[in-house]
């Protein structure tokens, strides 16, 4: 039986508590970290290696194995980032005296710019919705709130009626690490929400779900997967060939702000990014748009 506190199971539980209590990670982030970490734990079991014995070479073999089984380089980077975090915890908490990940390298990634939708494409997405269906207005409101407020999908599904201050035109969002922020909401998004409320008020809502803004037909709050499926289906209906997801609307929100002249720090605050470096991806998107505009409209390029 695993009774020693230094067994792998107990160490992972201690790490999970650390991420939750010390780092303030959400349940979704915790699940992702532990799911990725389990790949390493399974590898160590196969190699008959104890955590206290792991060396850089073992981790390099583990990283090579991720590549060999076809895991995308970006996912490899995420997994290895979680491994580094785990070994820093082991050193911090006294399970190890060293950190074998200090020289562990991640795959080199090429620059990847996320897909974005123009405001006209977002309009097309919304206009393709069949409003004769009970969920039609709900879906319009979801798309408009994602685009107008730049929310993460996890923030949207957890949005409560008590978080909305529609008269003042802003909403309160609980972001990553349980950090609260206030985000302005556009008159159009408010209008779409008010139309959704007309349907919502006639629903049979499950006990304990009454405060959630967006509900499914059974009166329970939506999941991230439900939103993803809806957005992808609607893109097909709208004839949009880009590969999009709920996060695309967040990218589109940030890009539209930057192109409209918003300050990068203001965009960082509205997106809830901890680091300005994360927000700076949108400067690359804007530059690529600018380059296309120059090629199309500069007099030296016109024939």
């Amino acid at each position: 039986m695993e009774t020693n506190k230094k067994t792998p199971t107990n160490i992972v539980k201690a790490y999970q508590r650390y991420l939750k209590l010390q780092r303030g990670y959400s349940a979704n982030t915790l699940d992702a970290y532990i799911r990725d970490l389990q790949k390493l734990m399974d590898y160590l079991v196969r190699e008959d290696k104890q955590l206290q014995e792991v060396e850089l070479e073992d981790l390099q073999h583990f990283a090579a194995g991720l590549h060999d089984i076809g895991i995308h380089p970006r996912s490899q980077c995420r997994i290895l980032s979680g491994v580094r975090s785990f070994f820093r915890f082991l050193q911090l908490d006294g399970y190890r005296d060293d950190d074998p990940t200090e020289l562990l390298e991640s795959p080199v990634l090429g620059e990847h710019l996320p897909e974005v939708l123009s405001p006209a494409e977002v309009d097309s997405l919304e206009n393709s919705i069949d409003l004769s269906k009970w969920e039609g207005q709900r879906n319009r409101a979801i798309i408009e709130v994602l685009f107008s407020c730049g929310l993460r999908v996890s923030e949207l599904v957890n949005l409560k009626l008590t978080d909305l201050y529609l008269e003042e035109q802003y909403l309160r969002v609980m972001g990553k690490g349980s950090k609260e922020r206030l985000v302005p909401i556009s008159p159009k998004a408010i209008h779409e929400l008010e139309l959704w409320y007309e349907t919502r008020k006639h629903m049979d809502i499950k006990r304990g779900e009454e405060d959630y803004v967006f509900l499914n037909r059974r009166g329970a709050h939506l999941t991230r997967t439900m939103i993803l499926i809806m957005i992808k289906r609607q893109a097909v209906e709208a004839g949009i060939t880009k590969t999009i997801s709920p996060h695309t609307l967040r990218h589109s929100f940030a890009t539209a702000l930057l192109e409209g002249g918003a300050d990068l720090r203001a965009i960082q605050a509205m997106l809830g990014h901890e680091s300005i470096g994360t927000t700076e991806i949108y400067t690359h998107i804007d530059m690529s748009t600018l380059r296309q505009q120059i090629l199309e409209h500069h007099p030296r390029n016109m024939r």
Side-chain angles (χ1 to χ4, degrees):
M1 293 179 62
E2 293 189 342
T3 55
N4 190 305
K5 76 167 190 171
K6 293 191 176 181
T7 61
T9 300
N10 288 333
I11 290 173
V12 171
K13 286 181 179 177
Y15 177 57
Q16 196 167 7
R17 287 194 297 272
Y18 162 77
L19 293 178
K20 182 178 181 180
L21 301 176
Q22 299 295 320
R23 303 298 298 273
Y25 288 167
S26 69
N28 289 332
T29 303
L30 276 175
D31 288 345
Y33 265 77
I34 299 305
R35 190 166 55 248
D36 284 346
L37 179 60
Q38 193 58 49
K39 292 179 175 63
L40 173 66
M41 305 307 288
D42 292 343
Y43 169 80
L44 295 178
V45 169
R46 291 195 301 271
E47 297 296 315
D48 195 25
K49 275 276 184 180
Q50 298 299 313
L51 279 171
Q52 290 81 359
E53 301 170 350
V54 172
E55 299 177 353
L56 174 61
E57 186 178 4
D58 300 309
L59 296 173
Q60 289 171 333
H61 288 160
F62 168 68
L66 297 176
H67 172 78
D68 291 343
I69 62 176
I71 292 180
H72 190 277
R74 193 166 296 278
S75 297
Q76 292 178 42
C77 288
R78 187 198 66 234
I79 293 167
L80 294 179
S81 175
V83 168
R84 292 187 190 90
S85 170
F86 178 58
F87 277 93
R88 283 195 295 270
F89 161 77
L90 295 183
Q91 186 180 27
L92 182 69
D93 233 41
Y95 293 101
R96 292 186 58 121
D97 296 325
D98 64 332
D99 178 0
T101 69
E102 286 181 344
L103 299 177
L104 181 64
E105 295 182 352
S106 292
V108 177
L109 298 176
E111 184 180 51
H112 171 70
L113 301 181
E115 292 275 24
V116 295
L117 298 176
S118 67
E121 287 174 314
V122 176
D123 289 342
S124 174
L125 201 61
E126 292 179 1
N127 293 336
S128 68
I129 293 171
D130 184 353
L131 293 178
S132 68
K133 296 180 178 179
W134 82 268
E135 73 273 22
Q137 184 55 48
R138 180 202 68 185
N139 292 348
R140 273 184 72 105
I142 286 172
I143 291 170
E144 187 56 40
V145 170
L146 285 171
F147 178 61
S148 291
C149 302
L151 303 188
R152 299 177 177 95
V153 67
S154 57
E155 295 167 347
L156 181 105
V157 297
N158 289 305
L159 195 62
K160 308 286 181 59
L161 294 174
T162 46
D163 294 326
L164 305 183
Y165 300 86
L166 299 187
E167 288 189 10
E168 294 83 0
Q169 296 191 344
Y170 73 88
L171 49 83
R172 180 178 58 196
V173 178
M174 192 63 70
K176 285 187 175 181
S178 299
K179 291 182 178 177
E180 185 179 286
R181 70 183 190 278
L182 301 177
V183 181
I185 182 169
S186 70
K188 178 168 172 50
I190 292 171
H191 176 68
E192 298 295 351
L193 279 172
E194 288 173 341
L195 291 176
W196 156 237
Y197 292 161
E198 290 302 310
T199 301
R200 189 186 182 282
K201 69 184 181 183
H202 297 295
M203 293 180 65
D204 184 15
I205 300 174
K206 282 188 175 182
R207 188 173 181 180
E209 305 282 290
E210 297 91 349
D211 198 25
Y212 285 97
V213 175
F214 296 110
L215 305 168
N216 61 28
R217 65 174 62 248
R218 294 181 297 280
H221 70 281
L222 298 172
T223 66
R224 295 185 300 169
T225 302
M226 291 175 184
I227 304 285
L228 174 64
I229 291 170
M230 182 273 285
I231 297 269
K232 286 188 172 295
R233 183 181 295 142
Q234 214 54 56
V236 173
E237 291 290 326
I240 293 172
T241 57
K242 296 175 181 176
T243 301
I244 71 168
S245 70
H247 215 66
T248 306
L249 291 162
R250 179 170 159 87
H251 290 314
S252 304
F253 162 82
T255 304
L257 285 178
L258 190 65
E259 291 178 351
D263 178 76
L264 204 59
R265 290 286 179 185
I267 298 172
Q268 178 191 5
M270 283 187 278
L271 291 173
H273 284 161
E274 189 170 338
S275 166
I276 190 68
T278 308
T279 316
E280 283 174 346
I281 180 66
Y282 298 106
T283 63
H284 299 305
I285 298 171
D286 190 45
M287 285 304 294
S288 65
T289 304
L290 178 61
R291 178 179 180 277
Q292 187 62 33
Q293 291 292 313
I294 290 172
L295 288 174
E296 289 181 4
H297 302 295
H298 193 282
R300 292 296 192 200
N301 296 319
M302 298 181 71
R303 296 181 183 275

